[in-house]
Amino acid sequence: MRSSRKSVRTGRWLALLALPLALAFSAPGLAMTSDGEVAPDRVSSGAQNGVGLMRIVVADKSGIDQLNELGVDLAEYVKPVDNGIEVHAILSPEESQALRDMGFDVQDAISDQNDYAENMTERAGTMRALTAAAASTDTLTMLRAEWFTSLDNQLFLNIEVKSSAGTDSTTVLTASWDSGAGTEIGSGGTATMSRFTDAGQYMYHRFSNPVAISAAPAKATITSNKGGSVTVDVSKWLGSPRKVTGNHPYVSDFVDHYMDATEVTARISSLAAEFPKLTQLIDLPYKTNGYRRQAQAQFGTASASIVYVTSKAYGSEGGNDITMSLVNPGVANAPLTVGVSGKAVTVNLATNGSGAISSTAAQVVAAANGNADAAKLLTASTYRGNAGAGVVAAAAVTRLTDNLKAPASVSRDPFQMKALRIGKQRDGSKVGVFLYCQEHAREWVTPLVCVETAERLLRNYAKDPNTRKLVDDLDIFILPTVNPDGSHYSMYDYNMQRRNMTNYCPATSADPANRNAWGVDLNRNFSIGSVYDGYNGGSTSCTSDTYAGPSKLSEPEARNEVWLVDTFPNIKFAMNNHSYGGYFMWPPGAYKTAGREVLPRVDQGTEAFFWTSSDYILSRVQEHRGTGIWPGRTGPVTDVLYSAAGNSADEHWYNRGIIGWDFEVGADVYNPTTKRFTAVGFQPSFAEGHEEAMEFANGNIAILDVARSYATDKLQPRSELKTVKQEPGATTFTFTTSEPANVYYTLDGSRPTFDSPKLALAGMREGNQTLTVKGNTTVNWFSIDIAGNVESNYKPDGNGKNYNKQTVAIQ
Ligand SMILES: [Zn+2]
């Protein structure tokens, strides 16, 4: 405000000076400084005319009046001094000089532009520090911002942001977005984000569910209550166009009911018989334990007096024929005896002097196990480790049973697992893909996905050119059920059975009431990242639903998978089909609980390949009925789901370099009326299960498309060095590539090789890392794609110089 007043004033009274009138004020009783010299003005900064607050000494009050008459900007300050009156005026150097020319004693400056500049510098410094402090309180790193469609073209928004203050639970992020390009931020909506933590560690902020929106946003702003905000572009998730479209009708839809393991195995066997030129049926070497159990019976109800017995033979092999009775002899002072006739075990209970039964559970157990003939048939136990001091009750003849209810068409023998190998040329020369389903028994949709995929490949081969390319160029292994015994148990006995049927429990937890709590979680039985190595998400308890088994690879089902990928080393891709939730995931899949130490993350190029593949594969899933798999359910298992110690995808990737993907079929279904997502569960109505099978068969075929692209990829990647930031004395850069590829670089002028540093990711779900150099630096580098094509055909192990070179300059 003062500067505008000043300019008006300055112009006016300096102009007055040009008039003779000015001379009327000459010699107004001048006062000189003590040394007779006029104090020099301090240096004009040039800014604001270099004004300063100057000290003027006049002889008397008339001098002040004269200054006022001239329109000089006087401060509200008057001070008597020895030789007159000191006043202060705001003057430019020119104005000071003009007043001196008129005979005024303009002395030194109280403050001038140098002070002003210092003040402003100090203020700016303080402001920078404050801003920096605010920024360091919360720096927001954008991970993902995407919109997508699902079912009935409902639009959804997904945002993931990492907050530097995220470990503080009071940090709240709010997202606002526009309603299309050029519209105001906030016009599309605003939502508070959820703080996503796992194993006690902050991961990032996200929406717990994608937010339903009415228009595709172009930009979103995320603001932290701890200060700081970031505005980013919102991109479209999924919807990449199909690469190949055939003119021939593509046939699909080959499943019309939920099938047990016997049925799906018969189905792929008949496909093998029908298409002998394109297939081979592989008997996997390790038979399962079988859909079978020992027969059991339990006597009594109170824990201390319960006796239960378990047959030595499986129920199907004679155990179900055994009977047992606890007989009250009806006389006083009878001894406890055991008699065996054929397969009938009779326990004659002891009585006391008054004829009452006196045998305790522990005594009956000892008597039965101590009888040689009875011990050939069964083992007796007290209940769950109880001492068994309670007196037992008499019991009529009771037949032991394995409690298995599957029809006789389901064999009780060890199961012969079969894989269907599909390919025109099945000699190991083609890139192999292993598609497998139903490691978890209750996930009934998954074997349908495998069967549907096999049917489509074989029945479209003759007419559909894309199918023909897949079968001609790939070596495909489909295992429709990894857990056949559990599959039968889930369908006929206990529908929530997840594990196989092998019971490793000791007598303390092997009573018949526990029979739905036995078995090994096959997807925890593998050898990488196992609970036996301290990883999270597997259990060593035989009754836990994530029981990892007594040791790594203890189970024939898991060993069959390992046998397959070891026997066919051309296998480069694997898909582990599970349900439910609608996930698409890849390694790492496990971390150690202490410190959340994750299995090594895949490198930058592979992670980029995963994301690029996701777009293609999930677009194919979406084609069936519009289901959009959420970006927030896409990524490494440890980042989007949980730690799954000893899972098979990690086994394949870390031990063999096989790209091991996981599907969770069965995405949540959005209800536009209630505006809620509903989970579909393991066994939805067949109408829903059928849709899931169709859309994820699309996904498995899409994986074959990706594998074929990999197999036939001869295109070399191209890469560029991109400067990100230049500051005095430091330049920051990164690399971009034309396709997913790794970049190896050197900063010391040497030739880049596979031993050189490799460009990494900046962090979980973040972009490429950046590199900062503090002197002019020669950067040498090359890129290599996932298929092994090297940029410019450079030979990292050779002597050629045809790598990329660029000097990064410092300002
Ligand atoms: Zn599962």
Side-chain angles (χ1 to χ4, degrees):
M1 198 165 118
R2 203 196 66 186
S3 66
S4 64
R5 268 179 58 221
K6 171 188 66 69
S7 63
V8 171
R9 168 185 58 79
T10 303
R12 202 167 65 202
W13 80 260
L14 267 181
L16 281 175
L17 287 177
L19 300 173
L21 173 67
L23 298 173
F25 299 111
S26 61
L30 291 177
M32 301 293 286
T33 54
S34 55
D35 59 3
E37 293 289 324
V38 174
D41 284 315
R42 290 165 76 172
V43 181
S44 167
S45 70
Q48 301 186 29
N49 291 334
V51 294
L53 183 61
M54 308 302 290
R55 199 187 317 268
I56 305 174
V57 177
V58 292
D60 53 29
K61 190 123 184 326
S62 72
I64 300 172
D65 293 338
Q66 287 175 30
L67 289 171
N68 274 326
E69 290 277 350
L70 279 169
V72 171
D73 188 359
L74 292 174
E76 297 153 353
Y77 184 90
V78 176
K79 179 187 175 190
V81 289
D82 284 348
N83 48 358
I85 303 168
E86 179 185 325
V87 294
H88 299 163
I90 295 126
L91 301 170
S92 72
E94 295 77 6
E95 290 166 335
S96 295
Q97 192 54 51
L99 288 179
R100 286 185 192 115
D101 290 345
M102 286 188 285
F104 285 99
D105 178 18
V106 180
Q107 301 191 352
D108 57 340
I110 297 157
S111 71
D112 66 2
Q113 287 290 300
N114 288 322
D115 302 292
Y116 172 74
E118 278 171 24
N119 278 335
M120 289 308 283
T121 302
E122 184 191 18
R123 173 184 143 84
T126 305
M127 295 291 279
R128 263 199 306 277
L130 285 172
T131 307
S136 70
T137 303
D138 197 356
T139 303
L140 301 178
T141 303
M142 204 61 205
L143 303 180
R144 307 193 70 83
E146 292 146 320
W147 67 271
F148 63 100
T149 66
S150 192
L151 299 175
D152 303 323
N153 289 320
Q154 171 66 50
L155 301 182
F156 294 98
L157 178 65
N158 175 78
I159 294 179
E160 300 169 10
V161 189
K162 195 171 83 184
S163 156
S164 66
T167 50
D168 180 345
S169 65
T170 66
T171 298
V172 177
L173 302 190
T174 306
S176 300
W177 53 93
D178 64 20
S179 47
T183 61
E184 291 230 349
I185 292 285
S187 63
T190 293
T192 303
M193 305 188 72
S194 303
R195 193 170 150 268
F196 172 30
T197 60
D198 186 50
Q201 286 206 10
Y202 170 69
M203 305 282 283
Y204 47 88
H205 277 73
R206 62 179 183 183
F207 299 136
S208 46
N209 290 318
V211 176
I213 51 176
S214 51
K219 287 187 185 296
T221 297
I222 293 82
T223 308
S224 170
N225 67 339
K226 297 288 163 66
S229 77
V230 61
T231 297
V232 295
D233 292 336
V234 182
S235 59
K236 185 175 191 311
W237 168 249
L238 304 187
S240 75
R242 180 182 278 278
K243 282 181 188 161
V244 182
T245 48
N247 293 326
H248 301 278
Y250 185 82
V251 293
S252 61
D253 199 348
F254 297 97
V255 293
D256 59 4
H257 66 284
Y258 284 128
M259 291 187 276
D260 68 26
T262 299
E263 290 174 280
V264 297
T265 303
R267 186 73 164 266
I268 62 160
S269 301
S270 66
L271 281 174
E274 187 179 345
F275 297 94
K277 291 199 174 121
L278 297 178
T279 67
Q280 175 191 348
L281 196 60
I282 299 172
D283 280 351
L284 299 179
Y286 305 104
K287 289 192 174 178
T288 70
N289 189 59
Y291 175 73
R292 56 185 181 174
R293 284 265 166 87
Q294 272 90 4
Q296 296 190 300
Q298 180 169 311
F299 302 90
T301 51
S303 297
S305 49
I306 288 176
V307 171
Y308 80 89
V309 294
T310 304
S311 64
K312 296 277 202 225
Y314 286 105
S316 53
E317 295 173 356
N320 288 341
D321 302 330
I322 298 169
T323 63
M324 180 158 146
S325 56
L326 304 182
V327 177
N328 182 346
V331 295
N333 298 316
L336 173 63
T337 62
V338 175
V340 177
S341 168
K343 290 194 169 180
V345 178
T346 304
V347 177
N348 296 297
L349 300 170
T351 53
N352 60 17
S354 56
I357 293 171
S358 60
S359 294
T360 64
Q363 289 166 343
V364 170
V365 165
N369 292 341
N371 179 288
D373 291 332
K376 282 178 197 159
L377 293 173
L378 52 75
T379 304
S381 309
T382 58
Y383 185 73
R384 299 197 183 180
N386 196 288
V391 172
V392 301
V397 174
T398 302
R399 184 174 293 275
L400 278 61
T401 173
D402 61 12
N403 283 302
L404 298 179
K405 299 175 190 67
S409 57
V410 172
S411 169
R412 269 60 174 172
D413 292 333
F415 194 90
Q416 175 60 63
M417 293 169 63
K418 291 176 187 290
L420 182 63
R421 184 181 191 183
I422 300 175
K424 183 79 186 303
Q425 206 171 321
R426 301 179 303 278
D427 57 4
S429 66
K430 300 294 185 186
V431 166
V433 186
F434 177 30
L435 309 176
Y436 56 104
C437 295
Q438 203 176 26
E439 281 182 340
H440 292 146
R442 63 193 174 200
E443 299 166 11
W444 287 7
V445 175
T446 61
L448 307 186
V449 173
C450 269
V451 166
E452 173 73 15
T453 303
E455 292 270 3
R456 288 188 192 180
L457 289 173
L458 294 170
R459 302 202 186 280
N460 287 297
Y461 180 79
K463 289 284 177 69
D464 178 58
N466 189 49
T467 302
R468 184 176 286 265
K469 283 178 192 160
L470 297 180
V471 174
D472 285 353
D473 294 342
L474 295 172
D475 198 356
I476 304 158
F477 300 82
I478 299 181
L479 176 56
T481 177
V482 182
N483 187 358
D485 301 339
S487 156
H488 292 129
Y489 196 73
S490 174
M491 196 154 279
Y492 301 109
D493 299 287
Y494 172 61
N495 72 318
M496 283 296 134
Q497 178 77 12
R498 166 183 169 99
R499 294 171 275 163
N500 73 4
M501 285 181 67
T502 304
N503 178 11
Y504 287 101
C505 284
T508 48
S509 48
D511 56 284
N514 253 350
R515 66 183 179 276
N516 293 334
W518 304 329
V520 177
D521 183 345
L522 298 174
N523 206 28
R524 300 295 183 276
N525 189 231
F526 290 88
S527 68
I528 284 287
S530 165
V531 64
Y532 292 108
D533 296 323
Y535 284 82
N536 180 288
S539 172
T540 55
S541 162
C542 69
T543 54
S544 163
D545 227 10
T546 55
Y547 177 49
S551 59
K552 298 177 189 175
L553 296 173
S554 60
E555 301 309 287
E557 297 91 336
R559 289 203 301 277
N560 278 335
E561 274 191 36
V562 168
W563 175 87
L564 192 84
V565 292
D566 280 344
T567 304
F568 304 101
N570 57 319
I571 292 175
K572 182 63 190 164
F573 296 88
M575 168 46 80
N576 183 10
N577 287 282
H578 285 254
S579 87
Y580 56 88
Y583 288 82
F584 184 54
M585 300 179 289
W586 53 82
Y591 51 74
K592 289 181 177 172
T593 307
R596 203 179 185 280
E597 183 192 326
V598 179
L599 280 169
R601 290 185 173 272
V602 307
D603 60 29
Q604 175 277 131
T606 308
E607 184 80 357
F609 175 79
F610 283 155
W611 281 104
T612 306
S613 304
S614 297
D615 188 59
Y616 180 78
I617 292 164
L618 299 180
S619 294
R620 301 289 81 75
V621 169
Q622 192 175 41
E623 274 172 3
H624 177 66
R625 58 165 170 167
T627 299
I629 300 301
W630 307 353
R633 290 186 175 180
T634 303
V637 176
T638 50
D639 298 356
V640 298
L641 188 59
Y642 46 54
S643 178
N647 72 81
S648 59
D650 282 345
E651 168 80 34
H652 303 327
W653 170 251
Y654 292 101
N655 277 342
R656 294 163 195 86
I658 296 169
I659 286 173
W661 273 307
D662 307 278
F663 266 144
E664 295 280 350
V665 313
D668 293 359
V669 176
Y670 183 72
N671 182 328
T673 308
T674 62
K675 301 195 188 307
R676 284 177 181 279
F677 284 97
T678 307
V680 294
F682 295 111
Q683 296 148 19
S685 71
F686 183 74
E688 165 62 22
H690 170 268
E691 294 300 288
E692 294 172 14
M694 294 303 115
E695 57 196 6
F696 285 91
N698 278 10
N700 277 264
I701 301 262
I703 281 161
L704 300 178
D705 288 334
V706 167
R708 184 177 173 276
S709 294
Y710 165 91
T712 57
D713 180 11
K714 296 282 175 282
L715 195 66
Q716 292 163 6
R718 282 170 288 105
S719 59
E720 281 181 49
L721 188 155
K722 293 268 193 217
T723 300
V724 177
K725 191 167 66 176
Q726 272 196 305
E727 292 176 322
T731 298
T732 298
F733 65 96
T734 187
F735 301 94
T736 60
T737 55
S738 58
E739 60 171 305
N742 279 310
V743 174
Y744 292 84
Y745 64 90
T746 65
L747 302 179
D748 59 1
S750 65
R751 205 175 162 278
T753 70
F754 289 124
D755 293 329
S756 304
K758 183 158 65 163
L759 186 72
L761 290 171
M764 176 185 66
R765 294 172 91 73
E766 293 184 39
N768 291 351
Q769 71 173 143
T770 57
L771 304 167
T772 299
V773 291
K774 299 203 166 156
N776 289 346
T777 302
T778 299
V779 182
N780 295 332
W781 80 95
F782 68 92
S783 64
I784 175 171
D785 70 15
I786 303 304
N789 298 302
V790 180
E791 183 169 13
S792 307
N793 207 28
Y794 174 62
K795 301 279 187 287
D797 299 330
N799 296 309
K801 300 271 193 212
N802 55 326
Y803 47 80
N804 298 302
K805 314 166 193 67
Q806 192 169 321
T807 299
V808 174
I810 301 300
Q811 278 183 344

